[in-house]
Amino acid sequence: DLKTGYVYMGTNRMLLVLIFITLFFNMAYGPIEVALPLFANQSAGGSASLGLLWSAFATGSLSGTLAFSLINWKFSLGSTLSGIIVLWGISTLPLA
């Protein structure tokens, strides 16, 4: 069964693209889970700042979700996801 799954993944181009996009997104986002508390503690003033940073992430996610669902989007899904990933990387680059 495992071999069948890997063969299916290897032959389905869209699934491979989705797997690699997810892999790179998680590799970019994963360190933030660890680095954000350290950043808040060392540079931004402690636990209150960490709460504000997470609140900013949540507010941005909610705003983006609402905007994406209410607007008649003219770009393809692939272009949109690529843009989201690039913007996510640019916005979190200062934390590096």
Side-chain angles (χ1 to χ4, degrees):
D1 288 338
L2 191 60
K3 182 180 178 183
T4 304
Y6 284 131
V7 168
Y8 180 74
M9 283 186 341
T11 58
N12 189 331
R13 186 173 187 271
M14 286 303 292
L15 186 57
L16 278 174
V17 168
L18 180 63
I19 288 169
F20 282 111
I21 287 173
T22 303
L23 172 75
F24 291 123
F25 183 78
N26 286 328
M27 288 176 65
Y29 178 73
I32 291 175
E33 293 281 337
V34 177
L36 202 58
L38 296 173
F39 172 76
N41 190 34
Q42 293 174 357
S43 303
S47 59
S49 296
L50 179 62
L52 289 172
L53 288 169
W54 281 121
S55 296
F57 278 130
T59 303
S61 296
L62 180 62
S63 300
T65 300
L66 291 175
F68 191 75
S69 64
L70 296 175
I71 296 172
N72 187 8
W73 208 248
K74 296 176 183 162
F75 302 105
S76 70
L77 183 59
S79 298
T80 301
L81 289 176
S82 298
I84 289 169
I85 292 170
V86 167
L87 289 173
W88 183 283
I90 290 170
S91 66
T92 56
L93 187 63
L95 293 175

